[in-house]
């Protein structure tokens, strides 16, 4: 009887142990395969994400680079227009008073600035501040000359030609350099793009 029980139980027990061993090995292999698959999937997603990021940056650069270059071009032109000698050549002083001519020049500065103010989004904050300083310098020169004339005029209306003469003397004594510094800064920042 014990022999019969052992004859039946022993093979069943051996079969159970063998099955358990095989199932454990199978599950272990499945876990390792799944882990390997997940690592490869994560690596693939990382590489794919980097590839997409590079493609997006390339597409973005292809779109924004021409816009940025155009902004730098416009602000280079603006800096040239900040040159007071250039401003004087654009406006005829005939038949105007010194005060009216000074106001006309200052308005021209502000209008030119308002046409270009949106270009700041395509450049660094440092460059934009340099351009603002160049504008401020030009405006300060125009205002300073007008104040000098107001002090000398003693209430009389001076002709615009007198304003031009005093302005040219002022520029000989104190050269305007802000627009030149701004142009130089624009060139340096554009060079960083390439």
């Amino acid at each position: 009887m014990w022999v019969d029980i052992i004859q039946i139980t022993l093979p069943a027990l051996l079969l159970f142990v063998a099955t358990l061993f095989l199932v454990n090995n199978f599950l272990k292999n499945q876990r390792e395969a799944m882990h390997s698959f997940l690592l490869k999937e994560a690596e693939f997603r990382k590489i794919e994400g980097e590839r997409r990021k590079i493609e997006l940056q390339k597409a973005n650069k292809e779109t924004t680079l021409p816009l940025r270059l155009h902004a730098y071009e416009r602000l280079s032109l603006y800096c040239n227009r900040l040159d007071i000698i250039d401003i004087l050549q654009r406006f005829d002083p005939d038949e105007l008073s010194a005060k009216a001519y000074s106001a006309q020049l200052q308005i021209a500065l502000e209008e030119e600035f308002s046409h270009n103010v949106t270009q700041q989004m395509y450049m660094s904050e440092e460059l934009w501040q340099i351009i603002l300083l160049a504008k401020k310098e030009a405006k300060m020169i125009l205002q300073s000359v007008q104040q000098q004339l107001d002090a000398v005029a003693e209430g009389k209306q001076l002709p615009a030609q007198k304003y031009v003469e005093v302005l040219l003397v002022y520029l000989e004594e104190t050269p305007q350099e802000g627009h030149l510094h701004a142009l130089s800064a624009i060139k340096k920042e554009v060079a960083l793009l390439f």
Side-chain angles (χ1 to χ4, degrees):
M1 165 129 159
W2 283 102
V3 174
D4 288 336
I5 292 176
I6 290 177
Q7 284 178 346
I8 296 173
T9 310
L10 188 60
L13 190 58
L14 287 175
L15 184 61
F16 175 75
V17 170
T19 305
L20 186 62
F21 178 74
L22 288 174
V23 168
N24 274 343
N25 263 349
F26 175 76
L27 291 176
K28 181 180 175 186
N29 288 339
Q30 287 297 321
R31 276 193 299 271
E32 287 174 0
M34 182 59 78
H35 182 69
S36 175
F37 171 77
L38 290 175
L39 285 176
K40 287 178 183 177
E41 179 70 17
E43 185 66 27
F44 172 77
R45 286 179 186 225
K46 181 180 176 185
I47 291 170
E48 185 66 17
E50 289 173 4
R51 185 187 64 79
R52 285 183 191 163
K53 183 179 176 183
I54 290 169
E55 284 179 6
L56 198 67
Q57 286 174 340
K58 183 180 175 187
N60 191 20
K61 191 172 187 178
E62 289 172 0
T63 302
T64 60
L65 185 61
L67 293 173
R68 290 184 75 185
L69 290 175
H70 181 69
Y72 290 121
E73 288 171 4
R74 282 186 58 182
L75 287 170
S76 294
L77 177 62
Y78 174 67
C79 288
N80 284 325
R81 289 176 160 250
L82 284 176
D83 183 3
I84 291 177
I85 301 301
D86 180 70
I87 297 170
L88 291 175
Q89 292 173 355
R90 286 186 277 145
F91 296 96
D92 188 14
D94 290 346
E95 301 180 18
L96 289 175
S97 70
K99 196 170 226 136
Y101 190 62
S102 174
Q104 184 181 33
L105 298 178
Q106 291 180 50
I107 289 169
L109 269 178
E110 290 300 326
E111 285 177 349
E112 189 73 32
F113 179 75
S114 68
H115 289 295
N116 292 294
V117 73
T118 59
Q119 302 310 311
Q120 67 181 299
M121 73 169 103
Y122 295 108
M123 63 200 52
S124 69
E125 181 62 28
E126 293 81 19
L127 176 58
W128 183 246
Q129 291 303 316
I130 291 169
I131 291 169
L132 289 177
L133 286 173
K135 174 191 172 253
K136 186 177 182 179
E137 177 197 37
K139 190 172 182 178
M140 185 210 62
I141 290 170
L142 295 175
Q143 290 173 344
S144 180
V145 169
Q146 182 57 50
Q147 289 170 355
Q148 285 178 12
L149 282 179
D150 287 345
V152 173
E154 298 175 354
K156 293 185 252 175
Q157 282 277 44
L158 295 176
Q161 194 57 42
K162 182 68 175 169
Y163 179 82
V164 172
E165 291 169 11
V166 173
L167 183 58
L168 292 175
V169 169
Y170 183 95
L171 289 173
E172 282 181 26
E173 294 172 359
T174 312
Q176 179 190 11
E177 297 178 346
H179 67 291
L180 299 175
H181 292 302
L183 278 170
S184 176
I186 289 170
K187 289 176 186 175
K188 286 178 185 174
E189 191 162 307
V190 169
L192 294 175
L193 296 175
F194 301 102

